[in-house]
Amino acid sequence: MRLVSSVLDRPDNASPGRARGPSHVLAGLVAAATLLSFSAPVLAQSDMEKQAQCELSAIRDTRSPLAVQYIRSACNWLVVNGDSLLNASSKGYYVCLVRQLSGAQSNEAAAAIMSACRASNPL
């Protein structure tokens, strides 16, 4: 009987409510660190893809270099800041730029569109 109780009292057979040994904690930390290290590049790639999709959808028939520049800038802003509650008041302006600058044929038209977006979405 003593042999059975000594085997059951070993830390390897700890009940689920008891603390695990240092090796179990270390293994968990290593697994968590590995997952986190691989998730950052996936997120960055996802942001790059989002920006590329935004630009592709808006730049198609745009001939104005100024409009293209501002579309790219607005897409970047939306990808980086679009979900932030701190920047919610600015989001409408950048959405307006992406939607309305699409198809602009001249820099003069782009400038007028940018002015209208600014007026309708004060920062």
Side-chain angles (χ1 to χ4, degrees):
M1 190 64 123
R2 178 73 184 132
L3 178 64
V4 172
S5 70
S6 67
V7 170
L8 292 176
D9 291 338
R10 287 180 26 200
D12 294 349
N13 295 324
S15 67
R18 294 175 82 183
R20 298 194 181 247
S23 64
H24 289 105
V25 173
L26 183 60
L29 289 173
V30 169
T34 303
L35 286 173
L36 288 174
S37 69
F38 285 118
S39 67
V42 171
L43 179 62
Q45 183 180 14
S46 176
D47 284 352
M48 287 174 45
E49 289 173 358
K50 287 178 186 177
Q51 181 163 351
Q53 287 300 318
C54 176
E55 290 176 11
L56 286 171
S57 69
I59 293 176
R60 290 181 187 220
D61 298 324
T62 306
R63 303 260 188 272
S64 164
L66 182 64
V68 170
Q69 177 185 350
Y70 273 84
I71 288 169
R72 285 186 171 153
S73 177
C75 286
N76 180 59
W77 188 96
L78 288 167
V79 168
V80 172
N81 301 307
D83 294 332
S84 169
L85 294 176
L86 294 174
N87 298 310
S89 63
S90 301
K91 186 175 180 178
Y93 170 71
Y94 293 101
V95 169
C96 181
L97 289 179
V98 171
R99 288 183 180 160
Q100 303 304 324
L101 285 173
S102 182
Q105 300 299 304
S106 69
N107 286 346
E108 292 80 14
I113 291 167
M114 291 164 35
S115 178
C117 284
R118 198 172 297 114
S120 65
N121 297 284
L123 300 176

